[in-house]
Amino acid sequence: MPQVVRSRIAVLHGAHPATPLPRSFRSLADRAAVEVLHRAARVLVASLPVLTDRLVEALYEQEPGYRAAIDSDRAEVWQEVHHSLRHNVGSLIQPREFRDAAHRTSRWIGEIRAGQGVPLDAVLHAFRMGGAMVWQDLVDETARRDPDDVRLLVHVAADVWNFVDEHCGIVADAYRQAERRLSWRRENQQRLMVAALLDGTARIADLCEAAAMLGLPEQGRYAVLAVASAPGGPQQDPARPPLNLAAALSPGEGLSTAPGAAPFWHTGPDAAFAILRLTGGPGDPGEPGELHAIADALDAPAGTRAGIGSAVDGLAALGDARRLAETALRACPASGGTVVLDEHLPDALVVSSPALGSALADRVLGPLDRLDPSDRDVILETLTAWLDADGSAQRAGARLYCHRNTVLNRLRRFEQLTGRCLTRPRDAVEVSLALAARRLLGS
């Protein structure tokens, strides 16, 4: 219960100008009321343990927000209530001496309860319950001693409840400040934990704590999304992933990610990464199009490159999942787009070893570099269209707006220049990988 008697005590000491009412009447009434209040308050001070017992029991019965704290450590709650009552009831008698200590106690209670997760409404209700109980005891004690003096307490009632409100404000302010500090600390711990999981530096012993902190199952099924701007394009703020990407990955957007599992983002020097919780359990392959559905739901801004790695089992494998996502990102076209690694494994092989990819491109496609650039580009374009059309000259010609015989003539010329045979499986694989290396590595 906060300390009381502020404005009217000040009037008695001449701190405020006289009110419009007759001075003698108001002063005598206030002085008599304060004397009555002091007598009753001294009795309360002497019986604080009993008052504390009653208030703790009332909190348990009437305020659900306090029940868990009382069940957990009733003695700790009892000491807190007793400490507050001792300072605040003491303020009824010696307001100047107890004011600062009472304020410190209220701030301390606000900070402690914020840390324990007791709702702010419950803390404020507890303070008001304490104020009501102390006021009722003051009235009861005064009525017991001299019923006629009860009417004098009316002169200090407003001050009592003004101070209750004042301390509720102190508690609320301390609670919110502590809540902000705790929120920042939790967010910072989450960022550090997410970074450690994605870097693969998290200790096995920390995985259980990480699962609890992030609200993720330790043995769940995950993938990682990597996002970056196209080379030479407008750079995204690395600390702020693209908003439409973040929105697409939020719960309730029709994705196949687990319900309520908003992604955790981590920003690196060259890309931003999101942990995607997938449906299904460990080892469950899930629906074939699960990762592809996520890719389709991404509304990536123009010039944004996004790579989705293969699914992994467990938080311990998120470091591997990040590396797979980085590989998928390197397989993205320079102009932007989204690549699901499982659907571009040949490209992933090329970008995983750039030196070997470049060597293969030079060996297979090098003879074409002796041609005029425009002639070389026509052959490469035709070769790519033919491979994309699953070896159909008819469909390749339709894509290139030329006759199928023109396609076949260009393919024969390629075979003559490079010594490769496109009907030989080994040569076809090498040509396909060489084209991917030329496209992705600029070889």
Side-chain angles (χ1 to χ4, degrees), residues 33-376:
V34 169
E35 290 173 357
V36 170
L37 183 66
H38 283 185
R39 284 197 301 269
R42 292 189 185 98
V43 176
L44 263 64
V45 169
S47 61
L48 274 182
V50 176
L51 177 59
T52 303
D53 287 340
R54 290 168 48 215
L55 182 52
V56 171
E57 191 60 33
L59 286 174
Y60 189 84
E61 293 177 356
Q62 301 177 33
E63 181 43 69
Y66 263 75
R67 286 176 190 161
I70 294 174
D71 283 334
S72 175
D73 194 341
R74 178 178 285 264
E76 187 271 337
V77 176
W78 192 96
Q79 289 294 339
E80 172 194 301
V81 172
H82 184 268
H83 194 65
S84 179
L85 288 172
R86 179 165 58 85
H87 284 94
N88 292 308
V89 174
S91 299
L92 298 172
I93 306 168
Q94 296 174 298
R96 291 183 179 179
E97 289 78 357
F98 280 88
R99 182 179 187 275
D100 290 342
H103 281 193
R104 286 195 299 270
T105 299
S106 295
R107 282 193 293 269
W108 172 72
I109 291 174
E111 293 173 355
I112 290 295
R113 292 300 171 221
Q116 294 173 337
V118 177
L120 177 57
D121 286 346
V123 181
L124 296 178
H125 184 211
F127 263 74
R128 294 190 175 99
M129 286 176 63
M133 187 172 288
V134 168
W135 177 251
Q136 186 61 52
D137 281 8
L138 290 171
V139 173
D140 291 345
E141 175 59 26
T142 302
R144 186 187 66 81
R145 291 177 60 91
D146 189 345
D148 290 340
D149 286 345
V150 172
R151 60 184 175 81
L152 293 174
L153 292 180
V154 173
H155 294 275
V156 295
D159 296 305
V160 171
W161 293 108
N162 285 341
F163 273 86
V164 171
D165 289 341
E166 176 188 352
H167 276 258
C168 284
I170 292 171
V171 168
D173 183 62
Y175 186 102
R176 294 187 182 104
Q177 289 184 21
E179 197 172 40
R180 284 193 292 269
R181 291 194 300 270
L182 291 169
S183 177
W184 178 88
R185 189 177 300 127
R186 284 193 297 268
E187 291 174 359
N188 192 51
Q189 290 173 339
Q190 283 187 349
R191 284 194 293 269
L192 293 175
M193 184 59 72
V194 168
L197 290 171
L198 289 173
D199 289 342
T201 57
R203 299 179 304 175
I204 297 297
D206 293 335
L207 293 179
C208 183
E209 178 186 353
M213 180 187 301
L214 302 177
L216 298 173
E218 184 176 347
Q219 299 302 325
R221 192 161 174 269
Y222 301 97
V224 171
L225 165 71
V227 181
S229 300
Q235 297 299 304
Q236 299 285 345
D237 181 353
R240 300 180 62 186
L243 293 181
N244 48 353
L245 281 177
L249 291 172
S250 297
E253 296 296 330
L255 299 184
S256 56
T257 50
F264 290 95
W265 286 93
H266 169 69
T267 56
D270 301 316
F273 300 91
I275 297 176
L276 306 177
R277 180 183 170 189
L278 307 178
T279 58
D284 181 4
E287 296 182 6
E290 183 175 9
L291 295 176
H292 191 271
I294 296 175
D296 288 342
L298 296 178
D299 183 18
T304 298
R305 299 160 56 236
I308 301 176
S310 303
V312 299
D313 292 330
L315 294 177
L318 282 178
D320 294 334
R322 171 180 172 161
R323 287 186 285 275
L324 292 172
E326 289 176 320
T327 300
L329 186 63
R330 290 196 296 272
C332 284
S335 59
T338 301
V339 165
V340 177
L341 183 64
D342 289 352
E343 299 176 356
H344 295 80
L345 292 178
D347 291 352
L349 288 174
V350 170
V351 298
S352 294
S353 182
L356 291 178
S358 297
L360 177 64
D362 290 342
R363 180 178 179 182
V364 175
L365 304 177
L368 300 180
D369 292 334
R370 294 191 291 268
L371 299 176
D372 181 86
S374 60
D375 194 14
R376 177 201 62 202

